[in-house]
Structure formats: structure tokens, C-alpha cells
């Protein structure tokens, strides 16, 4: 049975690892295909578990309202007249009756650098309120959850420490204003010029937050009378920006160039609703690496479709810049696409460069327009000068202008670690999403009971992992999301794989070997 949950997109098969070993040095094409099969037993038990949790949750809500014996204030409070309930929603119910049951596996605090090994603070529930409290105990864990793709958190003092600490002595931690006020320093201008050169664009503008980069840039580019065609699995920051823009939004099947072409053809043929006038402009929005899927954008074919129908192409490289391509220049380099064929390149400094914030790179005309109209530039605080120094240093290392071949070595190590980790999990019979060379390796758990079980068992064995469920995924596609780093050694990964295999056997998630897991 091909267990597609409603609205769940198809996935692609896993091609051979990307290597330039053939005569022409070509990489395998990315071809849309069917999803990983979900057995009838897995599908039935997953839906049954959610049905049982929801039924018991509603029963406990009813009993709590009836007797007043509940720890949730929203159930005790008497409704105020003439006001709609502020928190009465499915999301609130989900948080109370499903998420709160396993809240200990989320938001674990750390007290160390987010390097290959981290120190995690242990927590225990309060005996009366069930609120999690820190016990004062810590645990040293192998870090398989942080965005530390190029390992700058592991060797920061040797690679970035000196110039960043020098900047901390010379510049304030905050500019105390917006970029258009008193928030622009020579470091900002230098960083923008370096980013533009690195990604192959005329100009760039930097922001102090990756999420805010998308959510404030999109409304500055499109508005009423425009059309946004967005991949159905795009990040919530893109979704927020699209909704705020006022443009009409249509989605296309995940990473499928043919589906994109069908949507564009129909949209252009029919024009705007009611008036049928032509669209002022059309913006296609995709990601370089999809953060919950670990899949790489089929950029070559999508860019051809966008060009064919004269639509602008916006590429979010939050997870791909620095991590993909032979020299870390992202999805364009990895897929063999000229950056000129992508109109707007967006990225963040969080994942590969050991910093924070984001950027948008494009033509000078587009970037100048953003500097005049984008709320992320006009209203947000400017990026910290110290963070600018961090990203500048990381870019210098990745591009090879300092530290010799260290940047290239980091990129190669990340690719080797990611492919090794992925291949071992697949060989063991786990359902693994994503493409080769992607540092994000999701493993499907499906059943809600296995979300907590997997995280707790891994934590007991000294592994810090991230587990993900609704609403970040569809209801029945819960998963563990591993983030591999260049800072991991082969011994680290072998130790982690041994422990993950123990947990997989214990909680029965080897779905490729048995329909029962």
C-alpha cells in the first residue's frame, strides 16, 4: 500500500552518491517519483494512536470543565461575555493533550558551544504542576541536532576567534538602530559586497534574522495583482511573507518541475480572478535544501520552466549555501545552474557560517529597491557588527582566501560525513528521506508514541537528537531529523550509528525490513 496521507507530496528515489566519476563529470538527474511506502500496519497503528490520543484528550477536557480538576487555566476560566475564546482551537488542544505529554523531548537547554559534542541540561517535571524544571545535572552528548554544517563551532578559536574578538573590542554589540538610521557600518558594506561576489550577483543586503529575511522581503517584491507560485513544502518564513504580501498564492507539488509548469500555464491562461487581466508579475519560490525533507531542489528544471514562462525565480538557500557545491556556493553550483538564471538568491548565516542573520542577493536595482522599501531594512535593528565580523571571516575561510584549503576540507568532510551517515541508516532498513550530499538526514518514525521513545532512548545513550512532528510535518509523518557536521569524526558517527541501530531495534522502526518495523 502506498500510504499517502492527504496532502502528502511524493518523494524522489535516492540516486547514487553525487560524484564526478563519469566521463563528463555530470551529476545524476533529480526525477520525481513515488513516496516511500508506508505499510498498512504502520499506517493503521499510527492513525489509531492519534485517534486514541485525541479521544482521551477530549474526554479529559470534558471532565476538567465539569469538575474543575485540571491544571489548564483555559479550561477552568469562565467564558467572558461577548468575547470569542482566545485560545479555543485545534492547535491549543494539540498542545495541551498531545505535545505536553512529551514536552520533555523538545526545547532541551544546553550550556556549551553547539559543537560536535554538547552539554545538555537535564530536566524533571515538578511533582504538582508537571512543569519541567532544571535538576542542576548535565549530560555530555554527541550533537546530531544543531546547524553546525561546516564545524565552525568546533574550531572557532583557531579559525574565527581572533578577528571576531578584535571586532568585539572595536565595535559595539549592537548598532542601536535600523540600517536606514544609524545602523550601517563599514563592516555591513564589506559583508554585502563579499556575499554578492561569493554567490555571483551584483549586490546584496544583509538582515539581522533569517526568518525575517523571507517574511519581510517577499512583501517588498510582490503585492496585489501579482502571483506567487510556491513549493508546497516551503518554510514557514516564506509562507508568512507570501501571506503578508497581498499577492495571490498558488502552490505546486513538491519539487516537481512538471507540476510547476502546469500551474504556471493555467495561471497565465486564465489571468487574475474575476477581471482575467494579466498578472503584473509572477514569482516562483523554492528552497535549495528543504529543511524537513533533506531534499535538494531540482533547480535546473525549475529554472528552465520559470524562464520559459517569464516568471521570476526566488531561491531560499538557508540550508544549502556553504553546504552544497564543490566550493560551498550552494544549490546553483551543485545543480550546475548559472546564478544569473535565478533572479533572487536568499540565504542565512546560521547554518554554515557560525553566525546569525540573512541576506538577499540580486541585481543592483532589486537590492536598492529593498533598501528603500523592505521592512527588514527600514524597521528592524541592524545586524550586529560583531556578527558581521564572524560571517566575513567564515566566508574568507570557505572561499580559500585565508587558512589555505581549510574551507574546502570542511566542505568535503561535510559531504563525506553526510553520505556515510545516510548510507548506513538506509542499509539498516530505516525509512530515510533526502538526497545524497544533503547534511539533513530525516528518519521517519510515523507513530506518535515513537517520537518520545526515540528521543528519550537516544538521550539515555548520550545522543542529542531533534524529533519533529505536527505542525512542522504532516500528522502521520513524524520523524527524527539528524544534522550532520564537518566537525563530526568517523568515530563519532560510528558510535552514533551503533546506538541509533540499538534504538531502532528497540522501538521497531526498521520499516524497510518489515511492515511491522
Amino acid at each position: 500500500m502506498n500510504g499517502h496521507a492527504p496532502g502528502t507530496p511524493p518523494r524522489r528515489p535516492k540516486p547514487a552518491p553525487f560524484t564526478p566519476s563519469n566521463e563528463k563529470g555530470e551529476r545524476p538527474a533529480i526525477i520525481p517519483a513515488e513516496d516511500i511506502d508506508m505499510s498498512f500496519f504502520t499506517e493503521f497503528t499510527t492513525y489509531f494512536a492519534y485517534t486514541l490520543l485525541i479521544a482521551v484528550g477530549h474526554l479529559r477536557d470534558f471532565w476538567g470543565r465539569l469538575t474543575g480538576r485540571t491544571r489548564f487555566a483555559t479550561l477552568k476560566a469562565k467564558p467572558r461575555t461577548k468575547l470569542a475564546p482566545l485560545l479555543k482551537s485545534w492547535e491549543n488542544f494539540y498542545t495541551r493533550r498531545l505535545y505536553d505529554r512529551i514536552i520533555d523531548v523538545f526545547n532541551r537547554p544546553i550550556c556549551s558551544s553547539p559543537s560536535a559534542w554538547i552539554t545538555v541540561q537535564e530536566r524533571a517535571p515538578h511533582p504538582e504542576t508537571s512543569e519541567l524544571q532544571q535538576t542542576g545535572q548535565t549530560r555530555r552528548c554527541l550533537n546530531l541536532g544543531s546547524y553546525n554544517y561546516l564545524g565552525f563551532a568546533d574550531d572557532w578559536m583557531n579559525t574565527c576567534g581572533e578577528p571576531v574578538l578584535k571586532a568585539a573590542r572595536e565595535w559595539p554589540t549592537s548598532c542601536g538602530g535600523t540600517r536606514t538610521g544609524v545602523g550601517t557600518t563599514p563592516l555591513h558594506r564589506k559583508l554585502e559586497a563579499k556575499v554578492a561576489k561569493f554567490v555571483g550577483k551584483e549586490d546584496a543586503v544583509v538582515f539581522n534574522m533569517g526568518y525575517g529575511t523571507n517574511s519581510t522581503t517577499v512583501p517588498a517584491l510582490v503585492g496585489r495583482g501579482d502571483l506567487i507560485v510556491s513549493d508546497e513544502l516551503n518554510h514557514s518564513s516564506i509562507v508568512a511573507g507570501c501571506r503578508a504580501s497581498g499577492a495571490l498564492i498558488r502552490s505546486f507539488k513538491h519539487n516537481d518541475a512538471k507540476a510547476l509548469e502546469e500551474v504556471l500555464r493555467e495561471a497565465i491562461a486564465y489571468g487574475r480572478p474575476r477581471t482575467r487581466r494579466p498578472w503584473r508579475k509572477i514569482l516562483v519560490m523554492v528552497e535549495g535544501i528543504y529543511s524537513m525533507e533533506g531534499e535538494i531542489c531540482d533547480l535546473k528544471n525549475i529554472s528552465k520552466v520559470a524562464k520559459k514562462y517569464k516568471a521570476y525565480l526566488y531561491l531560499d538557500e538557508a540550508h544549502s549555501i556553504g553546504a552544497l557545491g564543490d566550493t560551498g556556493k550552494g544549490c546553483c553550483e551543485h545543480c550546475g545552474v548559472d546564478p544569473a538564471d535565478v533572479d533572487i538568491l536568499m540565504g542565512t548565516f546560521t547554518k554554515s557560517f557560525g553566525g546569525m542573520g540573512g541576506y538577499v542577493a540580486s541585481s543592483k536595482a532589486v537590492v536598492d529597491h529593498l533598501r528603500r522599501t523592505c521592512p527588514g531594512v527600514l524597521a528592524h535593528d541592524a545586524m550586529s557588527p560583531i556578527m558581521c565580523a564572524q560571517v566575513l571571516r567564515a566566508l574568507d575561510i570557505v572561499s580559500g582566501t585565508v587558512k589555505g584549503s581549510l574551507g574546502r576540507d570542511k566542505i568535503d568532510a561535510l559531504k563525506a560525513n553526510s553520505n556515510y551517515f545516510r548510507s548506513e541508516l538506509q542499509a539498516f532498513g530505516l525509512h530515510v528521506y533526502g538526497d545524497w550530499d544533503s547534511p539533513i538526514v530525516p528518519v521517519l518514525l510515523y507513530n506518535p508514541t515513537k517520537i518520545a521513545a526515540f528521543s528519550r532512548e537516544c538521550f539515555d545513550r548520550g545522543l542529542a537528537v531533534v524529533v519533529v512532528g505536527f505542525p512542522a510535518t504532516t500528522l502521520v509523518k513524524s520523524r527524527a531529523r539528524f544534522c550532520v557536521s564537518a566537525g563530526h569524526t568517523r568515530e563519532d558517527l560510528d558510535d552514533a550509528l551503533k546506538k541509533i541501530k540499538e534504538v531502532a531495534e528497540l522501538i521497531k522502526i526498521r520499516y524497510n525490513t518489515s511492515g511491522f518495523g
Side-chain angles (χ1 to χ4, degrees):
M1 180 178 181
N2 186 32
H4 288 279
T8 301
R11 296 297 194 286
R12 302 187 304 283
K14 305 302 177 279
F18 288 148
T19 60
S21 56
N22 59 15
E23 294 180 359
K24 297 181 180 179
E26 295 176 347
R27 299 178 186 272
I30 298 174
I31 305 169
E34 289 301 308
D35 194 0
I36 294 174
D37 283 343
M38 184 179 181
S39 71
F40 173 79
F41 177 80
T42 303
E43 189 170 15
F44 174 79
T45 53
T46 300
Y47 278 112
F48 179 78
Y50 275 111
T51 301
L52 185 62
L53 284 169
I54 292 168
V56 171
H58 281 299
L59 183 62
R60 294 184 68 183
D61 278 1
F62 172 77
W63 182 254
R65 290 190 184 97
L66 186 66
T67 64
R69 297 177 61 185
T70 178
R71 62 190 176 93
F72 297 108
T74 54
L75 300 180
K76 292 180 180 179
K78 295 182 179 179
R80 296 171 61 185
T81 58
K82 299 182 181 180
L83 287 176
L86 184 62
L87 300 176
K88 186 179 180 181
S89 65
W90 158 248
E91 288 79 9
N92 183 252
F93 172 82
Y94 182 89
T95 299
R96 285 185 283 108
R97 295 307 184 190
L98 282 81
Y99 175 81
D100 277 0
R101 284 176 175 266
I102 57 173
I103 196 170
D104 61 294
V105 307
F106 303 109
N107 310 317
R108 286 192 175 115
I110 67 171
C111 53
S112 69
S113 170
S115 53
W117 287 85
I118 57 175
T119 304
V120 182
Q121 294 178 321
E122 296 187 0
R123 299 173 297 172
H126 189 278
E128 295 180 0
T129 64
S130 296
E131 295 288 335
L132 290 176
Q133 295 181 328
Q134 294 181 11
T135 64
Q137 303 296 316
T138 61
R139 183 174 301 187
R140 194 71 173 160
C141 296
L142 181 64
N143 183 7
L144 292 171
S146 295
Y147 304 136
N148 178 37
Y149 295 155
L150 295 184
F152 283 113
D154 293 270
D155 55 12
W156 186 82
M157 284 304 300
N158 295 327
T159 56
C160 304
E162 184 179 344
V164 176
L165 293 174
K166 181 175 182 291
R169 290 190 293 268
E170 297 176 354
W171 296 94
T173 55
S174 170
C175 291
T178 66
R179 289 293 304 278
T180 54
V182 293
T184 298
T185 68
L187 290 178
H188 291 90
R189 294 297 190 193
K190 184 178 179 181
L191 177 57
E192 289 170 344
K194 186 156 292 188
V195 167
K197 181 179 179 181
F198 184 73
V199 301
K201 286 295 184 182
E202 287 182 356
D203 201 359
V205 59
V206 297
F207 298 76
N208 72 347
M209 181 183 179
Y211 188 100
T213 304
N214 276 329
S215 62
T216 62
T217 294
V218 178
L221 293 173
V222 291
R224 292 179 63 86
D226 298 330
L227 173 67
I228 297 173
V229 183
S230 177
D231 188 292
E232 64 183 348
L233 293 186
N234 274 341
H235 191 262
S236 61
S237 61
I238 294 178
V239 174
C242 292
R243 290 174 176 172
S245 69
L248 187 71
I249 306 165
R250 291 187 182 174
S251 63
F252 66 96
K253 189 167 70 173
H254 172 56
N255 216 12
D256 191 328
K258 290 183 179 179
L260 170 62
E261 185 168 12
E262 291 173 4
V263 172
L264 286 173
R265 186 189 298 119
E266 179 182 346
I268 292 171
Y270 284 99
R272 300 190 219 173
R274 295 195 300 274
T275 65
R276 301 306 176 195
R277 292 179 180 176
W279 302 98
R280 294 195 310 165
K281 56 178 171 284
I282 300 175
L283 182 65
V284 175
M285 304 196 70
V286 293
E287 294 185 40
I289 296 178
Y290 291 86
S291 60
M292 288 299 162
E293 322 301 317
E295 295 182 345
I296 299 170
C297 178
D298 185 10
L299 188 60
K300 181 167 285 188
N301 290 322
I302 286 176
S303 64
K304 288 178 181 177
V305 172
K307 185 182 291 187
K308 177 180 177 181
Y309 289 92
K310 297 180 174 57
Y312 294 102
L313 181 57
Y314 184 113
L315 175 64
D316 178 344
E317 294 220 75
H319 290 269
S320 55
I321 192 67
L324 285 185
D326 291 337
T327 60
K329 293 183 179 178
C331 195
C332 289
E333 183 178 43
H334 179 85
C335 296
V337 174
D338 188 339
D341 292 335
V342 181
D343 300 283
I344 298 113
L345 290 170
M346 175 270 175
T348 66
F349 304 126
T350 317
K351 282 76 178 179
S352 293
F353 304 109
M356 61 179 291
Y359 68 86
V360 172
S362 185
S363 65
K364 191 173 187 339
V366 170
V367 173
D368 285 343
H369 169 77
L370 291 177
R371 289 191 175 112
R372 293 191 301 268
T373 62
C374 179
V377 178
L378 299 176
H380 289 192
D381 287 345
M383 188 176 175
S384 168
I386 300 170
M387 199 54 61
C388 290
Q390 165 64 32
V391 179
L392 281 166
R393 180 65 170 185
L395 278 169
D396 284 340
I397 293 172
V398 172
S399 58
T401 56
V402 298
K403 297 289 183 179
S405 64
L406 178 62
R408 184 65 178 269
D409 293 342
K410 283 178 174 288
I411 295 167
D412 292 343
L414 174 62
K415 188 178 300 184
N417 286 348
S418 300
N419 290 338
Y420 174 73
F421 194 73
R422 182 182 300 279
S423 65
E424 289 294 310
L425 293 177
Q426 287 179 346
F428 192 64
L430 305 184
H431 276 183
V432 182
Y433 274 172
D435 290 317
W436 298 98
D437 290 0
S438 169
I440 298 173
V441 186
V443 171
L444 289 168
L445 304 173
Y446 298 118
N447 198 298
T449 60
K450 297 184 180 183
I451 300 174
F454 186 84
S455 179
R456 289 166 182 162
E457 292 294 337
C458 285
F459 188 61
D460 289 343
R461 289 165 172 79
L463 300 179
V465 302
V466 171
V467 287
V468 187
F470 177 85
T473 68
T474 55
L475 194 64
V476 297
K477 295 290 184 177
S478 303
R479 64 200 65 175
R481 185 183 68 169
F482 300 108
C483 291
V484 183
S485 168
H488 290 131
T489 65
R490 186 56 57 91
E491 290 75 21
D492 290 338
L493 296 180
D494 284 338
D495 180 56
L497 287 165
K498 178 183 176 182
K499 294 172 179 177
I500 291 168
K501 290 174 182 178
E502 290 177 4
V503 176
E505 285 279 13
L506 179 66
I507 69 172
K508 306 298 182 185
I509 58 172
R510 297 181 65 191
Y511 298 111
N512 267 345
T513 61
S514 169
F516 299 99

